[in-house]
């Protein structure tokens, strides 16, 4: 997993609530056997007409948001299906950070497994950032997300602090491999199995 | 004396293999259900890192999402991408040594239908799958939840997950459901009350007489849709009904171990005085048949209601999303829901693809014809459900009424196989999600119970099932 330290880039505003993972990555793209190449499918139905042409009114079809690295969205972002194809698509598009008032649990976890930072902020704070991001259409300029300092800086220099679980932060800052870390505890897993087998033998019958 | 614990607390405590003391735990997984869509990248990850599975006896592989439901599926699968994914599941299972149930096997079906059917789903287990509807298995008092593909890989490699504990949410429903009102209506009403994010960060325990009265099938329907309220898992304490359902199932404990297991399973309930972080309480007698009108499962109302007017909504975000939903759904505020005409009816899915669901549909359809403009698909959740339904002659009732009787799979619940809606088509569906495009791009989904689906098929519009019973 790629390390996340400081991310600088354009933030795209998507002020919708309950954006589900079907919306982020529709079913027809779940047939891939790879993790890459899904960027073109992100938000597919909102992004393209039936004939494949871009819908000009959609934010990711507009400059400078085509190159956005940060997505700012409404509450309960990523609800529904557990499909990791949603964060894979966001990552492939270029997003490394999503900011919203709340996230669905599975999506949130999936993002961190792929080096995408999810930042939860109160609605009022998100609304301010959304307004700044919308100005990006005319003024340009980059946001900066500093995971070490736990800050978001808008193009005009306004700093917002955010909170994040220490372990998630540590793993992301260092790009750690979860499985490798867990395998260091293999003796504990085996000890658990021995104990469970003695107490609940039917689980090992 | 130890502090009283919830059922979730007990399940959690009994599966922590390691804790760092700061809330980060390695949780041991007793059963891993795998299917073709969310596993190719996980197995590929193992290969790339030169890793093996930690063990293979707690994993089962079965194709369900992509499989066609037409009888010719054993000869050829036309969609090359689907075919490749299905072939990869089989070859990965073979290469890594995972027990595999092929499409030709009568036990094939939707993962969440076959786990309970084969007795793999058991009280007290931790159960995961790369599918959010894994919550289904909570009906047995198992801690069951959906995971992404990275976590699928993690479980394959270590038989554990890195987790932090969720909070406890108790949903208490008192009393008994009125006639014609089912587990599906109950969970839709609960989602309407909680909202799609009401359970986020929580594990739900369902308590109250109404849940004890439900069959195991209906309990699974309720737990299945817990994810639609944002909670990762839903739980019900196991009881004699649970044990009776499980007894004799192929993978259920045998002989002396059965007695030992049941004695343990009986301890799986929340202690008196156990603390819940959040609680809601409802009265079953107030619940009527429900149907969704929008594009989120929380957009739900009694069938007796009218399409809501977004302008009446006080929350600005809700107003915006309701307007968007109604535009997508092609509905006009103030229209009685019973006047909404449907084009398709889908009966099936991990929510309502069990034998009891098919019996409910047959009871309404028997001796009747579906409306001439309606197309109806009945898709059993598994080969065993299909076999049972045919033994009971239900298939003949469906076909005589004008419905199509298909082979088992996820089918039109998410339309990864050829069973999809065309743009603008409206479907009365027993599935679990009414998201935009879920059943096909531009398709319009109304979630409801199997009986309500059958009623809509007969009249050609959303209908209060109590009128045709």
């Amino acid at each position: 997993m790629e390390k996340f330290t400081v991310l600088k880039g354009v933030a795209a505003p998507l002020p919708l609530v309950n954006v589900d993972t079907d919306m982020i990555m529709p079913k027809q793209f779940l047939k891939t056997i790879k993790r890459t190449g899904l960027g073109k499918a992100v938000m597919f139905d909102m992004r393209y007409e039936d004939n494949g042409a871009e819908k000009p009114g959609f934010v990711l079809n507009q400059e400078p948001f085509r190159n956005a690295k940060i997505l700012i969205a409404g509450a309960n972002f990523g609800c529904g299906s557990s499909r990791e194809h949603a964060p894979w698509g966001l990552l492939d598009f270029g997003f490394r950070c999503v900011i919203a008032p709340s996230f669905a649990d599975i999506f949130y976890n999936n993002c961190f497994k792929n080096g995408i930072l999810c930042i939860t902020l109160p609605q009022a704070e998100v609304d301010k950032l959304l307004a700044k991001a919308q100005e990006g259409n005319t003024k340009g300029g980059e946001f900066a997300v500093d995971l070490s300092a736990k800050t978001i800086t808008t193009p005009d220099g306004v700093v917002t602090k955010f909170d994040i679980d220490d372990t998630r932060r540590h793993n992301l800052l260092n790009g750690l491999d979860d499985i490798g870390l867990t395998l260091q505890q293999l003796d504990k897993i085996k000890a658990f199995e021995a104990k469970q087998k003695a107490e609940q033998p039917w689980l090992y019958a | 004396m130890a502090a009283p614990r919830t059922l979730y607390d007990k399940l959690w405590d009994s599966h922590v293999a390691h804790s760092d003391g700061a809330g980060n735990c390695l949780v041991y997984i007793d059963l891993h259900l795998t299917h073709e869509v969310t596993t190719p990248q996980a197995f590929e990850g193992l290969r790339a890192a030169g890793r093996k599975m930690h063990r293979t006896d707690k994993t089962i592989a079965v194709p369900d999402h992509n499989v066609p439901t037409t009888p010719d599926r054993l000869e050829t699968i036309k969609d090359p991408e689907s075919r490749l994914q299905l072939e990869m599941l089989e070859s990965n299972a073979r290469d890594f040594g995972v027990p595999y149930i092929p499409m030709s096997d009568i036990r094939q079906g939707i993962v969440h239908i076959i786990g309970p059917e084969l007795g793999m789903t058991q009280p007290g287990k931790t159960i995961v799958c790369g599918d959010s509807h894994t919550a289904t298995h909570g009906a047995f008092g198992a801690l069951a939840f959906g995971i992404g593909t990275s976590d699928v890989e993690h479980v394959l490699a270590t038989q554990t997950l890195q987790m932090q504990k969720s909070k406890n949410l108790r949903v208490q429903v008192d009393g008994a459901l009125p006639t014609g009102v089912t587990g599906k209506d109950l969970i839709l009403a609960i989602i309407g009350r909680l909202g799609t994010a009401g359970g986020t960060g929580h594990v739900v325990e369902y308590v109250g007489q109404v849940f004890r009265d439900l069959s195991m099938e209906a309990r699974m329907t309720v737990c299945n849709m817990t994810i639609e309220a944002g909670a990762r898992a839903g739980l019900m304490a196991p009881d004699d009904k649970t044990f009776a359902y499980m007894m004799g199932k192929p993978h259920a404990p045998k002989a002396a171990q059965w007695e030992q297991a049941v004695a343990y399973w009986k301890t799986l309930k929340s202690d008196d005085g156990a603390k819940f972080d959040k609680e809601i309480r409802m009265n079953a007698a107030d619940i009527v048949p429900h149907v969704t009108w929008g594009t989120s499962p929380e957009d739900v109302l009694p069938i007796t209601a009218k399409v809501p007017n977004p302008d009446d909504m006080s929350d600005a975000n809700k107003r915006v999303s309701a307007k968007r939903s109604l535009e997508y759904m092609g509905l006009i505020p103030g229209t009685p829901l019973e006047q909404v005409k449907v084009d398709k009816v889908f009966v099936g899915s991990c929510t309502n693809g069990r034998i009891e669901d098919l019996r409910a549909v047959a009871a309404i359809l028997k001796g009747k014809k579906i409306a001439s403009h309606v197309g109806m698909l009945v898709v059993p959740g598994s080969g065993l459900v299909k076999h049972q339904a045919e033994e009971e002659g239900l298939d003949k009732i469906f076909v005589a009424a004008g419905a199509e009787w298909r082979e088992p799979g996820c089918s039109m619940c998410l339309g990864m196989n050829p069973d999809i809606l065309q743009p603008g088509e409206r479907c009365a569906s027993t599935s679990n999600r009414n998201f935009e495009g879920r059943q096909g791009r531009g398709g319009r989904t109304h979630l409801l119970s199997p009986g309500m689906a059958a009623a809509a098929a007969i009249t050609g519009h959303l209908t209060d099932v109590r009128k045709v019973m």
Side-chain angles (χ1 to χ4, degrees):
Chain A
M1 190 173 75
E2 203 180 326
K3 289 181 187 179
F4 191 116
T5 49
V6 179
L7 174 71
K8 286 185 179 165
V10 169
L14 188 71
L16 288 176
V17 295
N18 296 333
V19 172
D20 57 72
T21 54
D22 275 77
M23 210 183 266
I24 300 171
M25 187 59 59
K27 60 186 140 284
Q28 63 269 35
F29 303 105
L30 271 51
K31 295 179 185 179
T32 178
I33 54 168
K34 298 188 297 180
R35 293 176 196 245
T36 51
L38 286 166
K40 61 184 185 303
V42 163
M43 312 280 177
F44 192 81
D45 288 356
M46 283 194 275
R47 204 162 141 204
Y48 303 105
E49 303 285 359
D50 290 347
N51 65 8
E54 286 186 355
K55 293 181 180 176
F58 186 61
V59 60
L60 298 185
N61 292 330
Q62 297 166 354
E63 298 297 345
F65 305 118
R66 287 178 186 280
N67 300 308
K69 293 181 181 169
I70 301 159
L71 186 65
I72 309 178
N76 198 29
F77 190 81
C79 61
S81 163
S82 62
R83 57 189 68 173
E84 202 164 308
H85 309 68
W88 292 337
L90 292 172
L91 188 66
D92 196 58
F93 182 94
F95 290 115
R96 288 292 313 273
C97 175
V98 186
I99 302 170
S102 59
F103 293 89
D105 291 338
I106 304 177
F107 175 83
Y108 185 83
N109 192 49
N110 284 345
C111 281
F112 282 90
K113 300 275 176 183
N114 288 281
I116 299 175
L117 170 63
C118 291
I119 299 175
T120 310
L121 287 175
Q123 183 74 53
E125 297 289 334
V126 173
D127 286 343
K128 284 183 204 163
L129 294 174
L130 275 169
K132 294 282 183 199
Q134 266 146 0
E135 286 175 13
N137 208 1
T138 48
K139 291 185 188 166
E142 290 194 325
F143 283 67
V145 176
D146 185 332
L147 179 56
S148 190
K150 296 191 275 190
T151 57
I152 302 162
T153 307
T154 59
D156 56 352
V158 178
V159 177
T160 305
K161 293 280 288 177
F162 65 86
D163 271 331
I164 182 138
D165 174 71
D166 285 338
T167 306
R168 290 199 189 277
R169 176 166 162 270
H170 175 78
N171 291 356
L172 208 48
L173 281 170
N174 296 290
L176 296 179
D177 166 24
D178 282 349
I179 296 176
L181 288 175
T182 296
L183 287 173
Q184 291 172 13
Q185 308 295 337
L186 196 56
D187 55 333
K188 302 218 170 56
I189 296 170
K190 287 183 173 166
F192 176 90
E193 286 172 325
K195 182 168 174 284
Q196 192 190 41
K197 188 173 181 177
E199 289 171 0
Q200 299 177 50
W202 63 90
L203 295 176
Y204 293 81
Chain B
M1 209 179 108
R5 292 184 298 164
T6 65
L7 172 55
Y8 171 55
D9 294 340
K10 292 180 184 183
L11 294 171
W12 175 269
D13 292 347
S14 63
H15 286 88
V16 174
H18 175 60
S19 169
D20 72 351
N24 300 296
C25 299
L26 278 183
V27 175
Y28 193 79
I29 301 305
D30 296 320
L31 176 62
H32 188 188
L33 304 163
T34 61
H35 60 85
E36 75 276 21
V37 177
T38 55
T39 54
Q41 295 87 347
F43 283 113
E44 195 48 42
L46 288 188
R47 278 196 192 89
R51 288 175 178 140
K52 289 188 293 197
M53 280 177 67
H54 176 67
R55 59 191 303 153
T56 56
D57 59 346
K58 293 178 185 289
T59 305
I60 180 90
V62 66
D64 60 2
H65 281 62
N66 268 290
V67 296
T69 56
T70 43
D72 61 355
R73 67 182 187 167
L74 292 180
E75 290 141 38
T76 179
I77 291 167
K78 293 183 190 81
D79 178 352
E81 286 184 297
S82 290
R83 193 169 61 233
L84 178 61
Q85 235 177 23
L86 291 164
E87 285 167 0
M88 283 205 70
L89 181 68
E90 184 168 7
S91 63
N92 281 327
R94 190 175 55 234
D95 294 353
F96 285 88
V98 176
Y100 171 73
I101 300 177
M103 204 163 54
S104 56
D105 193 309
I106 191 172
R107 298 169 302 160
Q108 181 265 336
I110 307 171
V111 275
H112 309 309
I113 306 265
I114 72 163
E117 232 169 37
L118 299 178
M120 292 177 178
T121 299
Q122 295 172 11
K125 277 191 177 182
T126 43
I127 302 176
V128 298
C129 174
D131 188 288
S132 59
H133 290 112
T134 309
T136 310
H137 310 268
F140 291 78
L143 179 60
F145 49 90
I147 54 177
T149 298
S150 293
D151 274 343
V152 168
E153 185 179 336
H154 195 281
V155 176
L156 292 175
T158 71
Q159 205 58 41
T160 64
L161 281 174
Q162 298 178 358
M163 297 189 82
Q164 295 183 343
K165 198 180 169 194
S166 300
K167 292 178 182 167
N168 283 287
L169 164 58
R170 180 163 69 183
V171 173
Q172 176 158 355
V173 183
D174 304 306
L177 291 172
T179 308
V181 182
T182 67
K184 183 64 164 283
D185 303 300
L186 178 58
I187 186 61
L188 285 173
I190 290 167
I191 294 163
R193 168 82 177 271
L194 274 174
T196 48
T200 302
H202 294 77
V203 165
V204 173
E205 182 177 349
Y206 296 100
V207 298
Q209 186 60 38
V210 70
F211 301 109
R212 288 191 288 276
D213 290 344
L214 292 179
S215 66
M216 287 312 296
E217 285 88 349
R219 290 181 190 185
M220 285 187 252
T221 301
V222 170
C223 287
N224 171 279
M225 286 191 73
T226 306
I227 181 71
E228 305 330 323
R232 239 174 143 177
L235 288 172
M236 292 184 197
D239 59 11
D240 288 343
K241 213 179 260 182
T242 318
F243 311 145
Y245 178 97
M246 292 195 58
M247 192 183 259
K249 293 275 191 287
H251 290 265
K254 303 282 187 304
Q257 286 192 348
W258 170 262
E259 301 301 327
Q260 195 184 358
V262 171
Y264 171 66
W265 293 342
K266 285 182 173 170
T267 69
L268 298 174
K269 56 187 176 188
S270 289
D271 298 327
D272 290 339
K275 186 184 156 297
F276 288 83
D277 301 280
K278 190 170 165 182
E279 299 186 42
I280 67 161
R281 198 160 180 169
M282 295 167 66
N283 194 343
D286 299 338
I287 299 172
V288 300
H290 271 54
V291 61
T292 61
W293 53 267
T295 55
S296 166
E298 71 182 8
D299 300 339
V300 68
L301 282 169
I303 182 64
T304 49
K306 292 174 178 166
V307 175
N309 190 340
D311 292 334
D312 297 341
M313 297 177 182
S314 52
D315 182 324
N317 283 324
K318 272 243 162 81
R319 202 157 52 229
V320 172
S321 84
K323 277 187 178 160
R324 185 187 158 89
S325 291
L326 290 181
E327 191 177 329
Y328 180 85
M329 292 297 291
L331 293 174
I332 296 160
T335 310
L337 286 168
E338 281 206 274
Q339 287 177 13
V340 175
K341 201 174 156 190
V342 302
D343 307 299
K344 289 271 154 57
V345 173
F346 172 64
V347 173
S349 84
C350 58
T351 309
N352 282 123
R354 299 181 186 82
I355 189 67
E356 179 183 278
D357 303 314
L358 302 185
R359 287 178 190 143
V361 172
I364 304 285
L365 289 188
K366 191 167 188 180
K368 299 200 178 84
K369 290 274 184 199
I370 63 174
S372 58
H373 69 275
V374 172
M376 181 174 188
L377 269 190
V378 184
V379 183
S382 72
L384 290 170
V385 169
K386 179 169 188 270
H387 177 73
Q388 177 71 28
E390 289 174 352
E391 288 280 299
E392 297 178 19
L394 306 184
D395 58 320
K396 294 194 174 62
I397 295 173
F398 302 141
V399 172
E404 289 186 58
W405 175 239
R406 294 291 189 90
E407 299 294 316
C410 298
S411 181
M412 203 189 270
C413 175
L414 84 168
M416 279 196 73
N417 76 346
D419 308 335
I420 56 167
L421 295 180
Q422 296 307 307
E425 276 192 325
R426 187 180 299 285
C427 182
S429 179
T430 66
S431 56
N432 42 55
R433 288 191 174 129
N434 52 345
F435 297 156
E436 287 179 27
R438 172 79 177 181
Q439 296 190 290
R441 184 173 170 133
R444 295 161 170 166
T445 305
H446 295 273
L447 303 176
L448 33 59
S449 73
M452 287 279 286
I458 292 170
T459 63
H461 51 83
L462 298 178
T463 300
D464 190 333
V465 64
R466 295 170 298 183
K467 293 180 181 171
V468 298
M469 285 173 80

